Amino acid sequence: MSYDGGKTFVVVHEELKYCFVGSASSGNGMLISSYTIKLPSNLPASDKAVFAWTWANASGNREFYMNCADVAIKSSSTSFTGKEMTIVNHSGYETIPEFGGSYDTGLDIYNKAKQITVTSSGVSKGASNSNNDPESSSYVSSDPR
């Protein structure tokens, strides 16, 4: 979720292993074709929040994908703390190597994401630098919204 127009995103849910597969014993075939994500009840209220989902592909071109949707959040909360969104396989950021069947590939990059707090006013606290790019103070998505 972003409360500053897509400059900073806080993670509200992660699927880091077996995405669409279910478990290591399931092999690499797709068993799960959809997910239902319940947003935390303590997200800050906003008429201009951005909900995003990202993923890094497991094999082939080392790419980072992102889609966004503008959403309104009704809540009595004014702040939310969670991990800062991890960006990988994008120019200027760390690259996760080829998957090769190891479900642990790249998890260390996600696990070192720092905690940030976002507020309903759009101000992000503790997010002066992106978790992967010390040269940048923020990341602006090039999504097609």
Side-chain angles (χ1 to χ4, degrees):
M1 295 295 302
S2 176
Y3 291 85
D4 60 5
K7 294 178 184 144
T8 306
F9 286 88
V10 65
V11 174
V12 297
H13 180 84
E14 281 186 323
E15 292 288 331
L16 294 177
K17 285 181 135 181
Y18 321 119
C19 187
F20 298 113
V21 175
S23 71
S25 63
S26 301
N28 292 330
M30 189 165 100
L31 298 175
I32 302 168
S33 61
S34 67
Y35 285 92
T36 299
I37 307 299
K38 183 176 180 182
L39 297 178
S41 61
N42 60 335
L43 285 175
S46 176
D47 289 333
K48 299 178 182 178
V50 180
F51 175 79
W53 54 102
T54 67
W55 63 100
N57 61 328
S59 61
N61 296 336
R62 308 313 313 136
E63 297 173 328
F64 179 79
Y65 298 92
M66 181 174 186
N67 279 318
C68 299
D70 295 325
V71 297
I73 304 288
K74 296 188 186 305
S75 169
S76 60
S77 183
T78 58
S79 68
F80 179 82
T81 299
K83 291 168 115 181
E84 184 177 22
M85 180 181 74
T86 298
I87 301 167
V88 296
N89 301 349
H90 191 288
S91 179
Y93 296 87
E94 291 185 65
T95 298
I96 295 177
E98 188 72 28
F99 178 69
S102 171
Y103 291 99
D104 292 324
T105 301
L107 290 184
D108 58 323
I109 297 170
Y110 287 89
N111 290 334
K112 69 182 180 184
K114 70 180 175 180
Q115 294 283 306
I116 62 168
T117 298
V118 294
T119 67
S120 57
S121 64
V123 176
S124 298
K125 299 175 185 173
S128 60
N129 287 328
S130 173
N131 61 342
N132 301 95
D133 185 2
E135 304 277 324
S136 174
S137 61
S138 63
Y139 171 77
V140 178
S141 170
S142 59
D143 66 54
R145 297 188 279 134

